[in-house]
Amino acid sequence: MKGLLTLSDLKTEQILDIIHYALELKQGLSVSYENKKMATLFFENSTRTHYSFITAMMNLGIKVIDFNSAISSVSKGESLYDTIRTFEALGMDGIVIRHPKDEYFKELEKIQIPIFNGGDGASHHPTQSLLDLMTIYEEFQSFQGLKCCIIGDISHSRVAHTNIEVMKRLGMEVYISGPKEFDDGSAAYIPLEQAINCADILMLLRVQFERHKEKMKMSTLEYHQSFGITKKKTEQMKSKAIILHPAPVNRGVEIADDVVECDKSRIYKQMTNGVYIRMAVISMVLDGKL
Ligand code: CP
């Protein structure tokens, strides 16, 4: 299948190429695809990924159709495959999809046009991981040997699962921390204090209540007291260490209000970088370079 479904499909050199191209676009490189049409189909709520993909397409001169599932024939029982096949028949040059089902794209193998995965279940979020990597690269100019600790609801997080695989491949040391009930063994677990002291990158995650089959064992207040990153805790971080968060953030739960935009936070820079990463990915796929 064409497009970008998972980062595991890409070689490490291709990941680095995307980041370097996104940096060139951020520095002002201009490319245009004015004869292209694409559609965004979000079957799960989103602010950043949805509108950042649309912004990226607008920056590239691509005409965009923004599908609204609630007023579509999905309500009449139309399948995902038939919906996407329809957009292919309408002449789209590419489609962005977010869907709550893990690896929904396995149902779409007969689709010929590129598909850009905007997140599937708790499995993959390739462009989020790429924008995280771009933000890290801008800060440290390298990945080798950096320590990243991902804190929070690891087991329900496609961001954590995507990042852990690719960060290890790029030579980073990746650890997880937070409530033990969310430790799914996807990386080595370390206590929070150790994570705060040793990490070059602290990546915080929202508790994803909407995916929970069982109620979290602690209250949100208890979570904040035990695992939330407060201004006081940031003072124990290395001097050049940074805080990332894919957002949306839950202020007062995993992150204190005054940490969201503190000196160490790169949360809004991540969002800005997301536009350039998505421009880079779309451009490379449309040019047949990915
Ligand atoms: N980071 C992220 O995927 O945010 P949205 O759910 O708002 O797209």
Side-chain angles (χ1 to χ4, degrees):
M1 230 184 306
K2 288 185 278 188
L4 178 62
L5 303 175
T6 77
L7 289 190
S8 0
D9 295 334
L10 298 184
K11 297 188 184 111
T12 308
E13 303 83 68
Q14 290 177 301
I15 289 167
L16 295 173
D17 284 349
I18 295 169
I19 293 167
H20 286 124
Y21 186 34
L23 285 166
E24 285 182 58
L25 291 164
K26 190 174 181 180
Q27 281 153 18
L29 177 72
S30 176
V31 279
S32 180
Y33 297 86
E34 279 175 9
N35 57 342
K36 301 288 186 192
K37 298 182 289 296
M38 288 179 60
T40 53
L41 287 87
F42 278 66
F43 297 91
E44 191 187 83
N45 292 352
S46 165
T47 298
R48 275 143 294 274
T49 312
H50 192 165
Y51 297 101
S52 152
F53 259 114
I54 289 178
T55 308
M57 290 178 210
M58 286 166 60
N59 290 351
L60 292 170
I62 295 169
K63 293 174 189 69
V64 188
I65 292 181
D66 191 20
F67 170 80
N68 181 345
S69 169
I71 54 163
S72 75
S73 288
V74 170
S75 63
K76 302 172 195 164
E78 190 163 38
S79 70
L80 179 64
Y81 174 78
D82 288 335
T83 304
I84 304 304
R85 185 71 186 87
T86 298
F87 277 90
E88 184 175 46
L90 293 177
M92 295 302 121
D93 296 291
I95 292 186
V96 181
I97 305 174
R98 170 174 286 188
H99 201 283
K101 186 173 175 188
D102 290 289
E103 304 198 326
Y104 65 82
F105 42 80
K106 288 189 172 159
E107 296 168 25
L108 305 177
E109 277 168 6
K110 287 199 281 180
I111 299 293
Q112 299 294 313
I113 55 172
I115 293 172
F116 300 85
N117 184 8
D120 61 287
S123 295
H124 306 278
H125 197 345
T127 56
Q128 176 67 45
S129 177
L130 288 167
L131 74 87
D132 295 339
L133 294 173
M134 176 178 173
T135 309
I136 293 168
Y137 189 80
E138 276 189 315
E139 200 74 32
F140 298 100
Q141 290 78 51
S142 161
F143 297 107
Q144 192 66 40
L146 290 175
K147 293 187 177 69
C148 177
C149 189
I150 308 179
I151 301 169
D153 188 357
I154 310 291
S155 53
H156 300 97
S157 172
R158 54 192 170 216
V159 177
H161 296 140
T162 308
N163 270 321
I164 289 166
E165 187 275 328
V166 71
M167 285 179 173
K168 285 182 180 170
R169 251 197 297 155
L170 288 164
M172 294 172 65
E173 287 179 35
V174 192
Y175 303 96
I176 57 176
S177 190
K180 281 298 281 180
E181 67 185 283
F182 299 136
D183 173 6
D184 61 3
S186 49
Y189 181 94
I190 57 174
L192 184 67
E193 196 171 335
Q194 188 183 341
I196 292 169
N197 289 331
C198 80
D200 299 295
I201 301 113
L202 270 190
M203 182 177 288
L204 313 183
L205 299 176
R206 180 176 66 87
V207 181
Q208 291 159 90
F209 293 104
E210 73 278 14
R211 294 188 205 286
H212 290 189
K213 294 201 172 75
E214 285 170 33
K215 201 170 179 299
M216 186 168 69
K217 292 193 175 74
M218 65 185 80
S219 68
T220 52
L221 179 63
E222 286 164 338
Y223 186 103
H224 189 62
Q225 285 165 348
S226 301
F227 300 106
I229 300 301
T230 57
K231 207 66 193 285
K232 194 157 186 288
K233 285 180 185 156
T234 67
E235 285 157 17
Q236 296 160 34
M237 292 171 68
K238 289 179 177 173
S239 62
K240 294 195 172 159
I242 58 169
I243 295 168
L244 301 183
H245 190 313
V249 299
N250 282 325
R251 292 174 188 250
V253 186
E254 75 277 2
I255 186 165
D257 188 45
D258 57 0
V259 175
V260 175
E261 295 189 61
C262 74
D263 289 350
K264 292 198 165 297
S265 168
R266 300 293 179 271
I267 296 172
Y268 286 94
K269 190 174 189 185
Q270 286 173 271
M271 295 177 203
T272 303
N273 285 345
V275 173
Y276 297 105
I277 280 293
R278 289 167 180 129
M279 287 171 71
V281 167
I282 292 168
S283 169
M284 289 173 79
V285 167
L286 293 180
D287 287 351
K289 292 181 182 161
L290 208 58

